[in-house]
Amino acid sequence: MPYIGRFAPSPTGHLHAGSLITALATWLDARHHNGRWLLRIEDIDPPREVAGASESIINSLRAHQLEWDDTIQFQSQRSPFYEQALQQLREQNKLYACCCTRKQLRAIAETRHTHSYPGTCRDLDLPEGDSALRLRIDSGQVSIVDALAGPIEENVQHTVGDFIIRRRGPLFAYQLAVVVDDALQGITHVVRGADLLDNTARQVILQRALGYPTPAYLHIPLAVQADGRKLSKQTGAKPINNSDALCNLQFAWKFLGQQQPDADLGSVAEFLQFAVPNWRRDRIPATLQPISVAESSSNS
Ligand SMILES: [Zn+2]
């Protein structure tokens, strides 16, 4: 079976210990399966972007010798493809404009005791203009089998309702961009952090609406700080030091529950040569609970 994987960071900061764990897991899973590994920069949300972060992430991947195939894809340059997908949905009457304000949505959620969108604007036939566009969901029932978490059942109509695929602005929503790119790049295997697990059902719904295949999913445990907060620039996670590449990779390898080499490996190239054939999915801690990096490093 062909394997095409990807690493898809958002340029909201430098690569840190947590994002390197994801990068290594996706790279190893692809290389272990003789697959291709693509790099996609998800720079679709300009206000959240940090100047220079894309270059910094790319440099760090190079320093850790996590080489990608093909050219790097930047979502900021792919608007025509996202627009095409929207048009396809529009023609199938699967889109509708929503003019609900945040305040209105909050009030609705409070009375209904759920954050799922009740379809307030579904049949109003509002003009699109620059407003948000929602996907009209017929059956929201999704069953997927995550390689680590096992079977997952979700009814998107109950959990989120008709969700937004173009934001007010207009801006393409993350869900749309990811689904379109995964399909057009022929991604067969998605390996990513467990923080994205609850996006998966929505993405499957969107894949179905657009007639795309659903890739295989593997969500790895999320690395968090000792206080439980996600590692990110906002929570003070330090950027990884590119001159400590071997050490960083060994740390990520251990976090992923993989077997330690018998002998010391002296270089990044040697380490990766050892790691590719020895990568074992079934050694990844099978938990959707976040794992603290402090805890992981003390259990040596
Ligand atoms: Zn609405």
Side-chain angles (χ1 to χ4, degrees):
M1 186 187 174
Y3 185 120
I4 304 177
R6 44 67 160 196
F7 178 55
S10 304
T12 53
H14 303 284
L15 212 62
H16 51 68
S19 39
L20 181 69
I21 289 168
T22 306
L24 181 65
T26 63
W27 187 86
L28 283 174
D29 204 60
R31 297 306 186 213
H32 181 84
H33 293 97
N34 292 315
R36 298 164 59 69
W37 189 67
L38 309 182
L39 177 59
R40 178 199 306 154
I41 303 290
E42 299 199 329
D43 53 349
I44 204 179
D45 196 356
R48 286 182 60 231
E49 258 169 60
V50 173
S54 296
E55 295 76 10
S56 164
I57 291 170
I58 292 164
N59 285 338
S60 288
L61 291 173
R62 282 213 176 96
H64 292 76
Q65 296 180 29
L66 301 178
E67 295 291 336
W68 52 91
D69 300 302
D70 291 349
T71 51
I72 304 173
Q73 204 160 79
F74 292 87
Q75 287 190 328
S76 56
Q77 296 165 9
R78 298 180 51 77
S79 300
F81 297 103
Y82 308 144
E83 193 47 63
Q84 240 166 49
L86 284 180
Q87 183 56 24
Q88 185 185 332
L89 295 169
R90 199 177 275 123
E91 282 165 10
Q92 296 168 14
N93 192 30
K94 285 179 179 163
L95 283 190
Y96 65 88
C98 169
C99 296
C100 298
T101 61
R102 252 185 221 159
K103 200 173 151 196
Q104 284 172 315
L105 292 173
R106 240 189 334 261
I108 295 170
E110 266 165 37
T111 32
R112 296 179 71 242
H113 303 289
T114 161
H115 284 281
S116 81
Y117 181 69
T120 315
C121 298
R122 205 178 216 247
D123 301 314
L124 299 184
D125 208 11
L126 298 167
E128 276 192 23
D130 291 344
S131 58
L133 297 180
R134 290 182 185 270
L135 181 71
R136 194 187 299 274
I137 300 174
D138 308 323
S139 163
Q141 191 60 40
V142 172
S143 311
I144 36 171
V145 180
D146 183 271
L148 199 62
I152 293 166
E153 298 275 338
E154 182 176 335
N155 189 314
V156 177
Q157 197 54 269
H158 298 156
T159 52
V160 279
D162 293 344
F163 56 92
I164 290 179
I165 56 174
R166 190 187 79 179
R167 294 152 60 203
R168 196 149 37 120
L171 291 168
F172 299 110
Y174 163 75
Q175 310 294 359
L176 178 75
V178 167
V179 164
V180 170
D181 286 341
D182 280 345
L184 296 189
Q185 290 188 292
I187 301 299
T188 58
H189 292 73
V190 172
V191 178
R192 59 186 179 189
D195 55 328
L196 288 166
L197 185 64
D198 69 356
N199 285 258
T200 309
R202 264 172 286 172
Q203 292 173 10
V204 171
I205 291 280
L206 197 45
Q207 287 156 4
R208 280 189 206 156
L210 286 162
Y212 298 156
T214 289
Y217 288 99
L218 167 61
H219 288 85
I220 59 170
L222 190 64
V224 293
Q225 304 191 128
D227 61 7
R229 288 191 301 167
K230 192 186 163 185
L231 287 171
S232 71
K233 193 168 162 253
Q234 288 69 32
T235 59
K238 280 180 288 189
I240 51 167
N241 184 346
N242 290 341
S243 53
D244 281 341
L246 178 58
C247 189
N248 299 333
L249 288 169
Q250 283 170 328
F251 175 79
W253 176 254
K254 196 159 72 172
F255 179 93
L256 289 163
Q258 304 297 307
Q259 192 151 24
Q260 295 308 304
D262 294 331
D264 269 358
L265 300 167
S267 70
V268 168
E270 265 181 81
F271 170 79
L272 293 176
Q273 240 165 53
F274 158 81
V276 170
N278 286 292
W279 168 249
R280 292 255 310 271
R281 279 179 165 195
D282 59 4
R283 294 189 65 100
I284 304 171
T287 173
L288 291 176
Q289 295 307 309
I291 300 175
S292 144
V293 284
E295 190 185 313
S296 162
S297 58
S298 61
N299 291 343
S300 38

